[in-house]
Structure formats: C-alpha cells, structure tokens
C-alpha cells in the first residue's frame, strides 16, 4: 500500500469534484491511501508536488485541474508550463499522473472529468500507480 497526494488547482469546483472522485476511486480500488491539497492554479501544481516530494511523506502524486481556453495567450502558458513542470519532476523519478485537463470549452471538460465517461481523474491516478510500480521495479 502506498500513499499518494492529489494536488488540485481548484477553479471549476464541479469539474474538480468529478476528477477527484475518479482519482480517489482508482486509488482506493488498489488499496492506496491519499491526501488532497489545493493550490491556487495549475501553474502551482508542479511546485506543490516538488515541495511534497521533498517531505518524503508520499510515494506518488496525482495532478488535478482544468484549464479552459479563453481569449488570451494565458491558456497556452498555463497548459504548457504546468505540463512541462510535471514532466521535469517525472524525469527526476517522481511518480506522477497528470490529470490537468486542457480543453476548448466546459462541455469537453465535463465529458473528460465524469468518472462514468472518460474518467481522466481515474486515469491520472492509474498512471501515478503505474509509474510508482515502475520506479520500484528499477529500484529508484
């Protein structure tokens, strides 16, 4: 049994609730424990993961958030930089599942967030579990 930290950027409450529901179901199905922490936005998720990883209290991490395209370049910055930050951490051997949705509109987000549809929260948790297993396999 491992302990995971779900790091959420809570902006769209109803969408985050669905993503977390899926992530929690996937973690609990495998018998893992978890905590949830909230950060101001998707750009802060990698920093929170890095801080929590340094604490040694968690075996893996699930990133949860929703970024919906607006009228400015901000969407690209948030989408690209949050993904880049998470990728950099994973390259350092941290087991992370990326469940940050980057979508054009709320309808796309809803379809991806619902546990009975695309279940991206659950998929992110499963990815974190898989990466933890791989890290343990290689003795990292």
């Amino acid at each position: 049994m491992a302990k995971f930290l779900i790091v959420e950027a809570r902006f769209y409450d109803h969408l985050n609730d669905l993503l977390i529901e899926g992530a929690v179901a996937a973690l609990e199905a495998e018998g893992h424990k978890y905590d949830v922490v909230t950060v101001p936005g998707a750009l802060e998720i990698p920093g929170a993961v890095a801080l929590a990883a340094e604490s040694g209290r968690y075996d893996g991490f699930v990133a949860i958030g929703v970024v919906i395209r607006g009228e400015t370049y901000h969407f690209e910055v948030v989408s690209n930089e949050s993904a880049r930050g998470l990728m950099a951490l994973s390259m350092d051997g941290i087991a992370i599942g990326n469940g940050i949705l980057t979508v054009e509109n709320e309808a796309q987000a809803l379809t991806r967030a619902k546990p009975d549809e695309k279940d991206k929260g659950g998929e992110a948790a499963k990815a974190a579990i898989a990466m933890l297993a791989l890290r343990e396999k290689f003795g990292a």
Side-chain angles (χ1 to χ4, degrees):
M1 172 179 36
K3 187 163 186 187
F4 288 82
L5 180 64
I6 299 171
V7 181
E8 69 155 338
R10 183 162 280 275
F11 193 79
Y12 301 97
D13 291 341
H14 63 296
L15 297 170
N16 272 50
D17 289 344
L18 292 167
L19 289 165
I20 290 174
E21 179 184 336
V24 165
L27 293 172
E28 288 180 345
E30 296 294 323
H32 299 299
K33 293 184 178 183
Y34 65 90
D35 289 328
V36 179
V37 65
T38 302
V39 297
L43 286 174
E44 288 75 35
I45 291 175
V49 169
L51 291 170
E54 287 178 16
S55 78
R57 288 186 244 166
Y58 299 98
D59 301 299
F61 303 87
V62 182
I64 297 291
V66 179
V67 183
I68 298 176
R69 185 181 300 278
E71 297 177 4
T72 68
Y73 183 68
H74 186 68
F75 172 85
E76 282 82 7
V77 171
V78 173
S79 299
N80 294 338
E81 292 303 312
S82 61
R84 184 198 58 76
L86 292 176
M87 183 56 68
L89 292 168
S90 71
M91 298 294 286
D92 288 337
I94 298 173
I96 303 172
N98 185 350
I100 301 173
L101 303 182
T102 53
V103 295
E104 296 293 325
N105 54 55
E106 187 173 342
Q108 288 179 352
L110 193 56
T111 297
R112 285 157 179 77
K114 287 182 178 178
D116 62 344
E117 291 192 35
K118 295 206 181 256
D119 192 22
K120 295 300 183 181
E123 286 184 14
K126 290 174 186 174
I129 293 167
M131 293 306 291
L132 177 60
L134 194 58
R135 187 178 78 199
E136 290 172 351
K137 177 181 180 175
F138 292 122

